[in-house]
Amino acid sequence: VVTRLDTGEGMNPSTVEGREGIMRYKRELNLLWLDESCVALGGLTPRQAARLPDLRPALRQELLFKEKIENTIISPECRISLDFLWEELGLAREDTCASH
């Protein structure tokens, strides 16, 4: 849920300051997502789902989908890496259990 949206030069993607503002804002929103209820995770938060082995594949799919959406942003300099989410949740992009 977007609770605020800065406008003006602080969020202008054609300036360095604006791109930095966009990245800070996107990181903030993604950190909030970690503690929000998610329908695809049975109503649990991503942090809660990360502790349950049965929900880790669904959580992994949610993260991959978030990355897919992020990669559709036209200006590459305004795309944020979601590596910090994978780390925060203790997940690898590859499901090592599925390959064995």
Side-chain angles (χ1 to χ4, degrees):
V1 174
V2 176
T3 56
R4 68 173 177 83
L5 182 60
D6 295 333
T7 57
E9 287 305 306
M11 297 291 277
N12 182 344
S14 59
T15 68
V16 172
E17 295 81 14
R19 287 189 296 275
E20 289 172 355
I22 289 168
M23 296 308 229
R24 278 191 304 275
Y25 185 65
K26 289 169 89 170
R27 183 175 175 85
E28 178 183 310
L29 286 178
N30 279 291
L31 287 171
L32 290 173
W33 172 80
L34 291 171
D35 298 307
E36 292 178 355
S37 175
C38 180
V39 173
L41 302 173
L44 298 177
T45 69
R47 282 189 210 275
Q48 292 168 328
R51 293 190 293 265
L52 301 171
D54 290 347
L55 285 179
R56 284 177 155 246
L59 179 55
R60 188 174 288 104
Q61 288 306 309
E62 287 295 304
L63 284 166
L64 290 170
F65 183 71
K66 286 175 78 60
E67 287 183 326
K68 182 177 180 180
I69 296 297
E70 190 65 27
N71 288 331
T72 66
I73 295 172
I74 294 171
S75 302
E77 65 274 5
C78 291
R79 295 178 192 159
I80 188 171
S81 167
L82 299 180
D83 290 348
F84 68 100
L85 292 178
W86 291 92
E87 283 183 34
E88 186 73 28
L89 296 169
L91 293 176
R93 280 185 174 76
E94 300 297 322
D95 185 359
T96 54
C97 293
S99 62
H100 290 66

